[in-house]
Amino acid sequence: MPLDSEFEWIESGIDEWERRFSQLNIEMSTVQADNKATTKLAERSIENIEKVIDLLRRAERLEKQYGDWIEALPPSWVVRTSDWTEFEPSDLAASLVCPGKVYTFGDLWMANKYNVARSCRILIWSTILRCIAWLTGPNDYMMASQYIEGSRKCRTLIEEITASVPFVRISFT
């Protein structure tokens, strides 16, 4: 049973950005649940193809909505790249800094929100990729342009999460 995105608690005491974020996360959970049920369908009937295409379109819309949410955030919420580290550690697991971008967040909860959104987008892309694999299978689905684009997008999101976790610079200005 899908979650109702109009829970009363969503409306109580939070601003429009937080409310929208909660709604997106609830929808992402619903898409993930549908992903598990839909992409395991074995029979390639017209009905099942339509179910997978519908799920693919929903996931694509949700990915766009997360992107739109990030683009529309107020300036005080926007993450900034404050530095670029060229340092290549000999032991990345023990390094205090990840090579690449260093982000500045307004505060720690913003870093959390961004990484939750990034994680949700990875899950959405996993749904998109599973739908593509189901629709093109048993052929080599990894050669489909949308699959290649999705893989690239996931790598970027993973790099952004990785870059923000070991070193989060908080700006109190």
Side-chain angles (χ1 to χ4, degrees), residues 72-83:
L73 289 174
S76 62
W77 279 39
V78 176
V79 63
R80 301 201 189 332
T81 303
S82 60
D83 199 0

Side-chain angles (χ1 to χ4, degrees), residues 38-97:
T38 304
T39 57
K40 73 177 183 181
L41 296 169
E43 183 185 351
R44 298 183 97 55
S45 66
I46 298 293
E47 180 183 346
N48 287 348
I49 290 170
E50 288 175 356
K51 286 180 183 179
V52 174
I53 290 172
D54 177 61
L55 177 61
L56 173 62
R57 298 297 173 240
R58 284 177 43 218
E60 290 171 335
R61 278 192 305 275
L62 187 57
E63 162 62 13
K64 182 178 180 338
Q65 290 172 341
Y66 269 101
D68 291 347
W69 177 81
I70 290 169
E71 290 295 318
L73 289 174
S76 62
W77 279 39
V78 176
V79 63
R80 301 201 189 332
T81 303
S82 60
D83 199 0
W84 188 273
T85 303
E86 299 287 337
F87 172 70
E88 290 290 334
S90 58
D91 181 7
L92 186 58
S95 177
L96 295 176
V97 186

Side-chain angles (χ1 to χ4, degrees), residues 8 12 34 55-56 69 84 95 99 103 109-110 120 126 129 138 151 162 165 171 173:
E8 186 175 314
S12 62
D34 292 346
L55 177 61
L56 173 62
W69 177 81
W84 188 273
S95 177
Y103 295 119
W109 72 264
M110 285 173 52
C120 288
S126 74
L129 296 177
S151 296
T162 302
V165 172
S171 171
T173 58

